[in-house]
Amino acid sequence: MIPAHKIGKATATVKVNTKKTKAGTYEGTVIVREGGKAVAKVPTLLIVKEPDYPRVTSVSVNEGSEQGTYEIETYLPAGAEELAFLVYDSNLDFAGQAGIYKHQDKGYQYFDWDGTINGGTTLPAGEYYMLAYAANKGKSSQVLTEEPFTVE
């Protein structure tokens, strides 16, 4: 109990029977009462089980710090057990693999890339797209660069 006009800490416990509740996100409000009268409303968000979200949401390829190198930027909402970058030509025909990475943290991730595919083959000059594929907790998703990048 926190006395009136004082600051304190209160703990609330929520028990959810996940066998009876479908997986998903539930919005609600916790109503704090004093003497039967509502004195505060606190918005809440309850997430039951693993939410369904994309494993990767963006990828871009930018010029690197040295000529002929590139920086690949990608966003992983919850990290990835496996992350792969695949290169496609301007006709969206598969050109090769730029890299595979394991156990990546969540958030924005940056990778230096030397512009080669399949472990050392140099890409010919032209325009390309990069596809990022991420897998985490048994689910996967992929995203393609919005615009092509140029190899000179």
Side-chain angles (χ1 to χ4, degrees):
M1 183 167 178
I2 303 168
H5 307 291
K6 298 291 181 181
I7 296 175
K9 266 188 178 179
T11 303
T13 303
V14 176
K15 291 184 180 182
V16 177
N17 184 340
T18 57
K19 292 180 181 175
K20 293 184 177 180
T21 307
K22 290 183 181 179
T25 304
Y26 299 87
E27 294 182 40
T29 304
V30 173
I31 300 172
V32 180
R33 298 184 184 275
E34 183 178 355
K37 180 181 177 186
V39 293
K41 292 181 179 182
V42 181
T44 62
L45 185 63
L46 175 66
I47 300 173
V48 178
K49 299 180 183 168
E50 184 72 20
D52 188 19
Y53 57 86
R55 294 334 196 213
V56 58
T57 59
S58 67
V59 63
S60 62
V61 179
N62 303 300
E63 289 185 21
S65 57
E66 297 177 20
Q67 185 175 357
T69 66
Y70 305 87
E71 180 184 72
I72 303 171
E73 176 187 321
T74 192
Y75 185 76
L76 307 169
E81 295 163 354
E82 183 178 0
L83 174 65
F85 295 111
L86 308 175
V87 179
Y88 290 81
D89 67 17
S90 59
N91 295 319
L92 296 179
D93 292 325
F94 181 67
Q97 190 176 80
I100 295 179
Y101 303 88
K102 301 283 186 185
H103 309 293
Q104 298 301 306
D105 291 332
K106 68 180 179 177
Y108 284 99
Q109 302 298 322
Y110 302 89
F111 302 87
D112 292 325
W113 178 47
D114 63 4
T116 63
I117 55 173
N118 304 328
T121 303
T122 302
L123 279 173
E127 288 193 332
Y128 296 90
Y129 290 89
M130 182 72 72
L131 180 135
Y133 164 89
N136 197 31
K137 297 184 179 179
K139 295 189 177 185
S140 63
S141 60
Q142 59 194 28
V143 65
L144 191 68
T145 50
E146 291 182 12
E147 299 292 328
F149 63 94
T150 302
V151 171
E152 297 178 348

